Amino acid sequence: MLSPVTSFQAQPCRLLPPALVCSIGDDLAAITDALFNGRRGLVYDDVFTPGRSLPLGRVTTALPDARDLPPEHRSRNNQLLAAALERLAPTLDAFRKRSPQARIGVVLGTSTSGIGETEMAVGERMKEGKWPSDFHYQRHEIGSPAKFIAERLGLEGPAYTLSTACTSSARSLASAKRLLTSGICDAVIAGGADSLCGLTVNGFASLEALSDHPSQPFSANRDGINLGEAAALFLVTAETGGIQLSGYGESSDAHHISAPRPDGQGAIRAIQAALKMAQLPATAIDYLNLHGTATRQNDSMEAIAVAHIFGDKLPCSSTKALTGHTLGACGALEAAFCWLTLNAGRLPPQVHDGEIDPQLPSLNYATATQHDCHRAVSNAFAFGGNNIALLLERFNE
């Protein structure tokens, strides 16, 4: 049964079961077990930073063979997506059987696309004086992920990729809702993928934002992020019932190229806009997935914003401690964690060293307990002060 709060549902925007591949698992059963037991999926590796071994959220399960992909789409990013697409197939097939004429679009988010393969090609060119014979620039293009899925499924509807750093795949879900509301599509494959590569690992290292240890979100001892990789896909439909994307809110700090606005005003506007779209008060939310990168500035800003809107009672946690920060994939991946939370009635625990930063506003960090959840918010904040909040809501069938 729903809680006494009555929510507003205009155009239905149903999120069918997610298809996920990340460092804590490659099927919903394994991921659910790791998520609700607070089990980290990090491995130490110095492949991108020789001499400096870093904890990374690397996907270690077998992925589809890149040789089976079209040459222009042979990238680890698209291998991750191909693996997720295999897991989405039963949901997609069932939808197509009940809606054979449905117009299906594709909106994905990424920040890396196939840059890792271009890095290897550039290295070979510097060594051999020429590009590898199988080099395709298209692997590198930001638009490759959506094009890959659309071509693989033979879809002819809108297909595009968003790249707004760490909000990319959260924005893909908001875009999917807009496509349904506008009547352009009957369903959208939405989500995103990012793969570990030298650009991102060394880029964050140059910002002195990486931790040499498992990250500690909101801890007094936090000293930076762990990077990870993942793919997360939803089939988003204009169907009622189930788990709905009832609201989203977007804002821009216009404050700094990489640092968030310290007072959290941009984050506050995004969360408030999501609540307003869903026509729900802050007190109706049962769980909050924090962006929680474990950097000094992000956690401080977010704690201020969350305390301002929700006070210190709402259970919340940062799941990046488990998966690493998956950058362009994190928005959809963590929306999927909220989906699992609403579906299972359990909370993902806050994982860190237990030393809460006393300089931050007090928050109610979740423990691994049963919790009857009907509504959850997931935050994502990105470079340039790019902010989004997604509001998911569980309805009876």
Side-chain angles (χ1 to χ4, degrees):
M1 250 180 118
L2 287 176
S3 67
V5 174
T6 300
S7 61
F8 170 79
Q9 192 179 8
Q11 171 65 46
C13 182
R14 184 168 183 171
L15 304 181
L16 296 178
L20 309 177
V21 181
C22 63
S23 67
I24 60 172
D26 64 352
D27 65 77
L28 287 188
I31 291 169
T32 298
D33 182 66
L35 177 67
F36 295 124
N37 286 287
R39 189 162 56 249
R40 295 184 190 256
L42 305 175
V43 295
Y44 280 84
D45 202 332
D46 69 348
V47 65
F48 302 113
T49 51
R52 183 186 180 188
S53 185
L54 294 169
L56 300 172
R58 181 183 290 281
V59 171
T60 56
T61 52
L63 298 177
D65 194 326
R67 293 170 295 183
D68 294 334
L69 306 183
E72 68 273 20
H73 291 312
R74 289 176 187 165
S75 67
R76 183 169 178 82
N77 224 55
N78 286 338
Q79 285 178 274
L80 289 166
L81 283 170
L85 198 58
E86 288 178 357
R87 289 148 182 79
L88 190 69
T91 298
L92 181 59
D93 290 346
F95 174 75
R96 285 175 135 175
K97 284 181 181 178
R98 64 180 183 267
S99 303
Q101 303 302 316
R103 300 161 300 163
I104 303 175
V106 181
V107 187
L108 299 179
T110 191
S111 65
T112 60
S113 194
I115 189 65
E117 284 63 36
T118 299
E119 291 170 354
M120 290 186 282
V122 169
E124 184 170 331
R125 185 175 188 275
M126 292 177 67
K127 182 179 178 181
E128 304 294 338
K130 59 181 180 180
W131 293 105
S133 59
D134 64 347
F135 174 65
H136 279 263
Y137 178 81
Q138 287 172 279
R139 300 174 189 170
H140 176 131
E141 292 178 336
I142 286 295
S144 173
K147 186 177 181 182
F148 164 65
I149 285 187
E151 291 179 357
R152 194 171 182 86
L153 297 176
L155 301 177
E156 298 180 351
Y160 55 92
T161 307
L162 303 171
S163 188
T164 54
C166 309
T167 58
S168 300
S169 58
R171 286 186 178 275
S172 80
L173 293 170
S175 292
K177 185 174 176 69
R178 285 192 286 266
L179 287 171
L180 297 181
T181 301
S182 69
I184 294 173
C185 293
D186 303 304
V188 180
I189 296 170
D194 254 2
S195 46
L196 288 164
C197 62
L199 174 72
T200 52
V201 176
N202 287 284
F204 278 92
S206 71
L207 293 172
E208 299 181 346
L210 296 183
S211 176
D212 292 307
H213 314 285
S215 67
Q216 307 293 337
F218 299 91
S219 164
N221 302 314
R222 68 189 187 280
D223 63 354
I225 70 174
N226 306 142
L227 290 174
E229 60 184 358
L233 295 176
F234 284 94
L235 181 62
V236 187
T237 69
E239 298 173 305
T240 59
I243 294 175
Q244 299 276 329
L245 177 59
S246 294
Y248 61 81
E250 301 168 291
S251 70
S252 178
D253 289 357
H255 170 75
H256 188 272
I257 193 169
S258 60
R261 180 168 163 165
D263 62 6
Q265 285 301 308
I268 288 169
R269 288 197 302 274
I271 298 168
Q272 288 177 333
L275 291 166
K276 182 178 180 180
M277 181 179 290
Q279 295 193 10
L280 288 169
T283 53
I285 307 305
D286 301 304
Y287 168 72
L288 173 68
N289 183 280
L290 298 157
H291 188 61
T293 61
T295 60
R296 305 301 299 183
Q297 294 184 55
N298 178 88
D299 287 7
S300 173
M301 172 279 292
E302 188 171 17
I304 291 169
V306 170
H308 176 83
I309 295 174
F310 299 106
D312 62 357
K313 298 296 188 291
L314 177 66
C316 57
S317 60
S318 169
T319 52
K320 289 182 176 65
L322 310 182
T323 63
H325 190 343
T326 59
L327 303 178
C330 78
L333 180 64
E334 293 168 26
F337 291 164
C338 286
W339 192 100
L340 292 172
T341 296
L342 295 176
N343 189 61
R346 298 173 63 188
L347 294 178
Q350 174 73 8
V351 174
H352 56 21
D353 58 9
E355 297 189 31
I356 301 297
D357 189 342
Q359 296 183 356
L360 300 181
S362 178
L363 300 180
N364 180 18
Y365 297 105
T367 58
T369 56
Q370 295 294 126
H371 190 73
D372 192 17
C373 290
H374 298 286
R375 303 175 187 89
V377 168
S378 187
N379 287 339
F381 310 124
F383 281 176
N386 188 305
N387 310 303
I388 184 167
L390 303 175
L391 195 157
L392 279 62
E393 191 169 6
R394 174 167 57 88
F395 288 83
N396 295 327
E397 295 292 335

